[in-house]
Amino acid sequence: MNKIYTFLTIIACTLLGFTSTAQSSLLKGKIVHEDTMLPYADVQVTIPSLKTFAITNGDGEYTFSNIPTGSYEIILSADGITEKKVNIQVNESLTQLEDIVLESSNKNQNNFTIENSGASLQDGTSDDNNTENTSGQNIASVLNAARDPYLSAATFGWGQYFYKIRGYENDNSYMYLNGVPMNDLEEGGIFYNSFSGLNDVFRGRSVSLGLAPIDNTFGALGLNTNLDATASNQRKGTRLTYTLTNRSYRNRLMLTHNSGLMKSGWAYSFSVSKRWANEGQIKGTYYNAYGYFAAVEKRFKKHGFNISLIGAPVERGKNGPATDETFDLAGTHYYNPYWGYQDGKIRNSRVLKSHSPLVILTHDARLNENTQITTAISYQAGETSTSTLDWYNAADPRPDYYRYLPSYQDSIDLTNSVANQIKNDPEKYLQVNWDGLYEANYLNKKAGYNRSVYILGADVEKSKKLNAAVNLQSIVTDHITVHSGISYQTQNNHDFRRVEDLLGGDYWVNINQFAEDGIQGVTVSTKLNEDESDLTRKVGDTYGYDYNIHFNKAAWYAQGVFVYNKFDFFLGGELGYTNFYRTGNYRHGLYQNDSKGNSDATTFFTYKTKGGITYKLNGRNYIYANGSIGTRAPYIDNIFISPRTRNTMVENPRVEKISSGELGYLLRSPFIKGRLTFFATEVKNAVDIKRFYNDFGASFSNYVIQNINKRYTGLEAGLEIKMSPSLTLNLAGALTQAFYTSRATARTFNDNDAAIGSTTASDKVDTLYIKNYYVPSGPQTAFQTALNYRSKRFWFASITFNYLANNWIDFAPARRTTEGVDLLAYDSKEWHDVIDQQKLPSFYTIDLFGGKSFKVDKYIKKAGYNTYFNIQLGITNLLNNQNIKLYGFENLRVGSATSQPDWFVPKSAYALGIQYFINMNLRF
């Protein structure tokens, strides 16, 4: 194995044209608190000239590997202490520093605390008293993992209102956990349910935004997050936490214990949690979730092993979007169409269940004084399901179905009696009639038909995922560091529909009811699976569709980081391979020759390259520019036209072409820290498939959109002003424009087309007139002002003002075609109602936060305990604004623009009103 590691080192260095010449050392030290002389955890130890930092563990200890011999200045910073700078000398293979004592910032009102709470910039200044630097001085580099006020506002303040950083979709952010990627291969996003509810063990994180170099991967366009949940990285001690809130869950209880790194070289950690609510703030919702984590680590002289087990079983009743009409009829913006009464008790028809345990094995080794390698392998398997109602030859059971609403009924009955009837008893008419569904099945059975006409089914995905990654870091010279790595991912998803509840009936029949009566007079097979003779289904059986998706992805990256007196720069590249195919388990009656078995495998080869330069005017002012170009493979959901029925793929699938750049200025002074960045990103050749029920063809349709070009541009800024030793003002803002830059093309594929031998619809290519329409990516204008106060008596308080605007709803592409408006008068109100993209109202909120820490050792009689009680309180949307629309989308069922203009109107969802949380924890 060592030979393989050495070989990889030689390859990485050779490809970038470097050899290792610098002598390096292992640097260790310990930090203690002046008041207690006890170990001080969570202190950031920074070596600015090497652009690296470490965090002290529960024993107050920190370690740096591969530090070149020489003289350095280190900076120590944490909550509640005075920033301290220490000069050190590294001249041995192992340099053990003497213990460093830190004093409280409250003892000297002329000193300022560097807050490490997640809303501050890290200080990279080498000399705060000198703003001019001669050519012989070494100016500190910028720490890329620093979190500034903008990033804090975007993630913690605006995120709950569907704000997306730089307007990017979720697949443009990456997350790594103990060295393995957490992004899903099918859709590219991060499925947080896999590891939710374990906040205490995921505190060790580094975050980078944009195109800056990253240690363990090439990186994404947006947010890059690396979580370190190894056992030795956890703060030593025990923490018991209880949270009371009125959000999606009402209660949270969490217990965490960490041993810290013991003298034997072992460390262990475990955490368990539960979050629950019998009913959430929106009626009909509920929450029942657990979380568990266990990790064991063994450290040797030059390497260590860590194994972690992570899981988070979740079950929750969901709420859904609705039309303005139904919100008005229900008399509330929190109308939820998914629930109803059964025998007098609330039951939700849309329930999410998920449990996908994850095991990660990590090994790190110091091959020599200059080279470190980390290997991680993980395996994850589990199931995610979401239930919905199904029906056969019966009335639609959805209470907000458009034919039940006054906008449809009043076209027949003009007395408004339907609207008045619903408003007088909305829970009777606007909620699921569970008792009526059971009665319908009972009456069908009484008539001699034991089959259910209504059932509860679930869309299920069983997934198995294997990840492996090897990352190597080598210090080539005092100024050059090389990072290189390879990764491989393979994933198998089994997608099918399962019978959850027959609702009083005896069985369900697995047939294609849309083809049962023949399609336009043509007799076709009604079987969803031609290879089966028994079509009956009981609880737990598969029906509807059944297929597997296989993914394989590999990548190699290399990156060189160069640090000099006045300039830093980097250059990196990545080569990628993506392969996927479908395996059908049903021989579909309408696609008997193109549904069962393996599809053709689709393979994409991709590349990415990026580089950047930072000019250090002095120790306080920096200017930087980064750029990237490359390609990305499309996701499988946008390649297979209708994966539930057949193997057919889009014609001539291509990789996306992506180019991006950013130009920024950073200020790092004792009293003011700030960042201003301009960014621009261009995406070309994207593809998207939208699926919906087509009323005209009585068939499910697949709207394949190709040649999509998008642009994301904007300014983002963050400013931290230290107004006094205790008072800080944070300002953050973003002005973004995410929009389509050209027309696209589209073709419609109806699932019933093949049955009648028609290819006319699919051969017809529509031009989509979507140029300059906005990408529906949340609010594209956002501002925040936050005033933070930290008292010398260990309490804090803050007040925050947020403003968000320019949030555009997702539009139905078919309305932006010639046919979509050909019957309407040009520039008329009806014409604009069809083609204009709707903008959601702007809004503002005020939030309050506060907390206090108490030392309670005097109440604990057992020797050796240092016990603290912490309480935090938070109120968001203090003014209880219940008119905030989070998102909206047009109905893809377009109907006829002249005869049914109001049947298929947009749906939207509202943010909750005033929300609170009270968080209490006992740490010892």
Side-chain angles (χ1 to χ4, degrees):
M1 183 63 71
N2 285 335
K3 292 181 179 179
I4 296 176
Y5 290 163
T6 304
F7 178 67
L8 288 173
T9 306
I10 295 172
I11 290 177
C13 294
T14 301
L15 286 173
L16 291 174
F18 304 126
T19 59
S20 181
T21 60
Q23 297 297 314
S24 64
S25 172
L26 183 67
L27 176 63
K28 291 186 175 182
K30 184 176 181 178
I31 298 176
V32 296
H33 198 289
E34 180 195 43
D35 295 339
T36 63
M37 296 308 293
L38 294 173
Y40 208 127
D42 290 342
V43 177
Q44 179 165 300
V45 185
T46 304
I47 308 178
S49 62
L50 296 182
K51 205 173 184 180
T52 187
F53 67 94
I55 305 294
T56 58
N57 61 20
D59 293 324
E61 297 172 342
Y62 60 90
T63 302
F64 290 96
S65 300
N66 309 320
I67 302 300
T69 56
S71 298
Y72 300 96
E73 179 185 71
I74 63 174
I75 299 176
L76 312 175
S77 58
D79 286 341
I81 69 167
T82 300
E83 175 187 313
K84 190 165 187 174
K85 299 177 181 179
V86 179
N87 293 317
I88 63 172
Q89 181 69 35
V90 179
N91 52 20
E92 302 174 358
S93 60
L94 172 61
T95 298
Q96 181 73 48
L97 300 179
E98 295 182 357
D99 291 356
I100 300 175
V101 179
L102 292 181
E103 64 180 12
S104 170
S105 62
N106 298 318
K107 293 190 175 184
N108 186 348
Q109 294 300 303
N110 294 319
N111 290 320
F112 292 90
T113 301
I114 300 296
E115 297 178 357
N116 192 26
S117 63
S120 302
L121 292 167
Q122 304 295 343
D123 194 349
T125 306
S126 60
D127 186 354
D128 285 338
N129 298 316
N130 181 17
T131 59
E132 299 297 330
N133 291 274
T134 66
S135 60
Q137 291 177 309
N138 184 21
I139 303 175
S141 300
V142 179
L143 296 177
N144 294 320
R147 179 179 293 161
D148 62 16
Y150 164 76
L151 196 53
S152 180
T155 53
F156 299 112
W158 306 331
Q160 61 184 310
Y161 301 110
F162 281 56
Y163 174 81
K164 296 180 180 179
I165 291 176
R166 298 187 176 181
Y168 296 151
E169 290 81 357
N170 294 333
D171 57 351
N172 285 305
S173 291
Y174 287 169
M175 176 174 285
Y176 283 76
L177 175 56
N178 287 5
V180 298
M182 298 302 295
N183 291 63
D184 180 68
L185 293 183
E186 184 170 10
E187 297 179 349
I190 303 167
F191 191 59
Y192 292 97
N193 279 343
S194 298
F195 51 96
S196 60
L198 296 167
N199 305 53
D200 280 351
V201 293
F202 292 142
R203 295 179 181 274
R205 68 177 62 196
S206 62
V207 179
S208 176
L209 173 61
L211 304 177
I214 306 169
D215 289 350
N216 63 332
T217 180
F218 180 86
L221 292 174
L223 202 62
N224 295 278
T225 304
N226 189 18
L227 301 177
D228 185 349
T230 54
S232 64
N233 190 53
Q234 305 297 328
R235 172 188 285 184
K236 182 179 180 179
T238 302
R239 180 191 293 260
L240 179 63
T241 303
Y242 173 73
T243 304
L244 176 67
T245 181
N246 68 338
R247 301 184 179 183
S248 54
Y249 56 85
R250 299 286 189 173
N251 306 275
R252 182 182 69 176
L253 188 63
M254 183 162 46
L255 174 65
T256 302
H257 176 74
N258 307 306
S259 69
L261 187 60
M262 299 178 286
K263 293 182 179 180
S264 61
W266 286 93
Y268 67 87
S269 172
F270 69 83
S271 181
V272 292
S273 72
K274 181 178 181 180
R275 294 163 293 158
W276 72 96
N278 293 329
E279 184 172 73
Q281 193 168 346
I282 296 179
K283 195 164 185 177
T285 63
Y286 69 92
Y287 207 100
N288 188 23
Y290 296 85
Y292 57 87
F293 169 89
V296 178
E297 185 172 359
K298 173 62 176 175
R299 304 298 309 175
F300 298 93
K301 185 177 181 180
K302 292 188 176 182
H303 62 97
F305 291 91
N306 181 90
I307 186 169
S308 301
L309 171 65
I310 304 163
V314 175
E315 178 180 334
R316 61 183 178 91
K318 301 176 70 174
N319 61 285
T323 64
D324 287 342
E325 180 182 18
T326 51
F327 287 132
D328 178 64
L329 292 170
T332 174
H333 286 163
Y334 306 119
Y335 165 68
N336 179 12
Y338 296 152
W339 70 274
Y341 289 106
Q342 180 182 337
D343 291 334
K345 296 182 180 179
I346 291 176
R347 182 179 181 182
N348 196 310
S349 64
R350 194 70 61 94
V351 175
L352 169 71
K353 297 179 181 180
S354 176
H355 186 204
S356 298
L358 171 67
V359 177
I360 306 175
L361 176 63
T362 305
H363 172 240
D364 62 270
R366 188 160 50 88
L367 302 183
N368 53 52
E369 293 179 345
N370 306 310
T371 305
Q372 180 172 328
I373 194 164
T374 302
T375 304
I377 185 169
S378 70
Y379 180 75
Q380 184 174 20
E383 176 182 300
T384 299
S385 66
T386 301
S387 63
T388 56
L389 290 167
D390 259 332
W391 60 99
Y392 169 78
N393 198 25
D396 194 315
R398 295 171 297 179
D400 59 342
Y401 182 50
Y402 77 95
R403 289 179 180 269
Y404 302 153
L405 300 179
S407 56
Y408 178 86
Q409 291 290 329
D410 287 349
S411 63
I412 303 171
D413 181 356
L414 302 180
T415 63
N416 291 322
S417 60
V418 175
N420 293 330
Q421 187 180 44
I422 294 175
K423 287 183 176 181
N424 289 334
D425 194 353
E427 288 193 349
K428 177 180 179 180
Y429 295 102
L430 285 179
Q431 305 303 152
V432 177
N433 185 4
W434 288 101
D435 293 337
L437 304 184
Y438 274 87
E439 183 180 9
N441 286 338
Y442 169 75
L443 294 175
N444 199 52
K445 183 185 295 187
K446 188 176 180 180
Y449 304 98
N450 291 336
R451 65 183 295 176
S452 295
V453 293
Y454 293 105
I455 67 168
L456 187 69
D459 294 309
V460 184
E461 180 177 276
K462 289 187 175 181
S463 181
K464 298 177 181 179
K465 185 177 182 180
L466 177 69
N467 290 321
V470 179
N471 290 288
L472 180 145
Q473 173 182 295
S474 181
I475 299 176
V476 181
T477 72
D478 291 344
H479 301 286
I480 302 171
T481 302
V482 173
H483 300 273
S484 183
I486 55 175
S487 63
Y488 174 73
Q489 298 170 265
T490 181
Q491 181 174 323
N492 180 288
N493 290 351
H494 182 198
D495 294 276
F496 59 94
R497 190 155 175 81
R498 182 175 61 205
V499 178
E500 300 288 284
D501 192 337
L502 291 168
L503 305 183
D506 290 343
Y507 61 88
W508 176 258
V509 179
N510 190 34
I511 62 171
N512 183 353
Q513 59 178 303
F514 299 105
E516 185 178 28
D517 297 327
I519 301 173
Q520 297 184 8
V522 180
T523 301
V524 297
S525 173
T526 63
K527 287 187 176 182
L528 291 168
N529 184 9
E530 285 290 327
D531 295 336
E532 64 184 14
S533 56
D534 185 2
L535 302 181
T536 60
R537 294 292 190 269
K538 299 294 184 69
V539 172
D541 290 343
T542 299
Y543 77 102
Y545 62 91
D546 188 347
Y547 65 94
N548 289 72
I549 296 291
H550 310 269
F551 308 85
N552 294 285
K553 184 176 182 179
W556 169 86
Y557 84 96
Q559 172 183 274
V561 179
F562 308 83
V563 179
Y564 294 99
N565 177 41
K566 299 288 287 186
F567 289 92
D568 293 348
F569 63 94
F570 73 94
L571 183 65
E574 179 187 81
L575 297 176
Y577 162 86
T578 300
N579 171 275
F580 49 74
Y581 63 96
R582 174 187 183 274
T583 299
N585 301 315
Y586 275 4
R587 188 182 305 281
H588 196 282
L590 300 184
Y591 298 92
Q592 298 184 30
N593 297 322
D594 189 32
S595 54
K596 189 171 183 178
N598 294 342
S599 69
D600 293 335
T602 301
T603 301
F604 299 94
F605 293 96
T606 58
Y607 77 92
K608 299 176 184 176
T609 182
K610 69 178 181 179
I613 185 169
T614 299
Y615 175 58
K616 298 174 277 189
L617 285 78
N618 48 48
R620 296 181 179 178
N621 298 274
Y622 303 79
I623 297 174
Y624 67 90
N626 302 321
S628 172
I629 59 173
T631 59
R632 184 176 70 172
Y635 294 108
I636 194 168
D637 194 51
N638 291 323
I639 294 297
F640 284 97
I641 292 175
S642 178
R644 294 186 176 186
T645 62
R646 55 196 185 275
N647 290 332
T648 306
M649 292 181 284
V650 300
E651 183 178 342
N652 189 29
R654 297 180 294 172
V655 296
E656 297 179 10
K657 295 180 179 180
I658 302 175
S659 57
S660 184
E662 56 189 21
L663 177 67
Y665 166 73
L666 295 103
L667 171 65
R668 304 293 173 87
S669 74
F671 304 107
I672 301 177
K673 300 177 178 69
R675 177 176 67 87
L676 177 66
T677 302
F678 168 77
F679 64 89
T681 298
E682 197 89 17
V683 178
K684 295 184 177 181
N685 296 336
V687 60
D688 186 23
I689 301 180
K690 297 183 179 295
R691 301 176 175 92
F692 60 99
Y693 180 76
N694 189 331
D695 293 76
F696 297 114
S699 170
F700 286 99
S701 291
N702 310 279
Y703 203 64
V704 180
I705 309 172
Q706 294 181 282
N707 304 307
I708 301 173
N709 298 327
K710 297 178 284 187
R711 182 179 299 153
Y712 306 81
T713 62
L715 284 170
E716 57 193 24
L719 188 65
E720 180 184 281
I721 304 172
K722 202 72 176 178
M723 303 175 68
S724 76
S726 300
L727 192 62
T728 303
L729 176 65
N730 287 343
L731 303 173
L735 296 172
T736 304
Q737 278 195 326
F739 59 97
Y740 297 94
T741 59
S742 67
R743 299 171 182 176
T745 58
R747 298 170 67 187
T748 302
F749 295 82
N750 293 315
D751 283 354
N752 287 342
D753 282 346
I756 58 177
S758 172
T759 58
T760 302
S762 61
D763 285 343
K764 183 178 181 299
V765 178
D766 290 322
T767 297
L768 301 185
Y769 295 89
I770 63 173
K771 184 177 180 179
N772 295 328
Y773 277 70
Y774 289 93
V775 176
S777 56
Q780 298 191 19
T781 298
F783 296 100
Q784 183 183 92
T785 300
L787 193 62
N788 304 286
Y789 179 81
R790 286 190 175 273
S791 168
K792 63 179 69 177
R793 298 185 179 276
F794 306 103
W795 63 270
F796 74 92
S798 70
I799 182 170
T800 302
F801 173 84
N802 298 291
Y803 172 79
L804 295 100
N806 291 328
N807 188 1
W808 304 84
I809 75 170
D810 197 0
F811 56 87
R815 298 185 182 213
R816 277 74 189 178
T817 63
T818 301
E819 289 185 349
V821 295
D822 62 353
L823 298 179
L824 302 176
Y826 175 74
D827 209 27
S828 63
K829 180 182 182 303
E830 292 79 8
W831 188 84
H832 281 286
D833 288 343
V834 170
I835 71 165
D836 288 353
Q837 187 177 12
Q838 295 184 30
K839 183 169 68 172
L840 300 179
S842 59
F843 62 90
Y844 67 89
T845 65
I846 296 176
D847 305 331
L848 296 178
F849 299 96
K852 183 170 175 55
S853 177
F854 304 87
K855 189 174 182 180
V856 294
D857 286 354
K858 60 184 179 180
Y859 302 109
I860 307 295
K861 303 301 182 183
K862 187 175 180 180
Y865 273 78
N866 289 286
T867 306
Y868 300 88
F869 176 74
N870 298 284
I871 182 169
Q872 298 95 31
L873 302 94
I875 300 176
T876 59
N877 196 2
L878 178 67
L879 302 181
N880 195 28
N881 184 355
Q882 299 186 13
N883 298 314
I884 300 173
K885 282 192 174 183
L886 291 172
Y887 63 87
F889 57 91
E890 293 180 354
N891 200 318
L892 295 174
R893 301 171 68 172
V894 296
S896 168
T898 54
S899 60
Q900 303 110 18
D902 299 323
W903 290 0
F904 305 121
V905 295
K907 289 188 175 184
S908 58
Y910 284 85
L912 295 175
I914 186 169
Q915 299 174 70
Y916 68 85
F917 74 86
I918 303 173
N919 189 72
M920 298 170 283
N921 67 72
L922 189 66
R923 179 168 57 86
F924 50 88

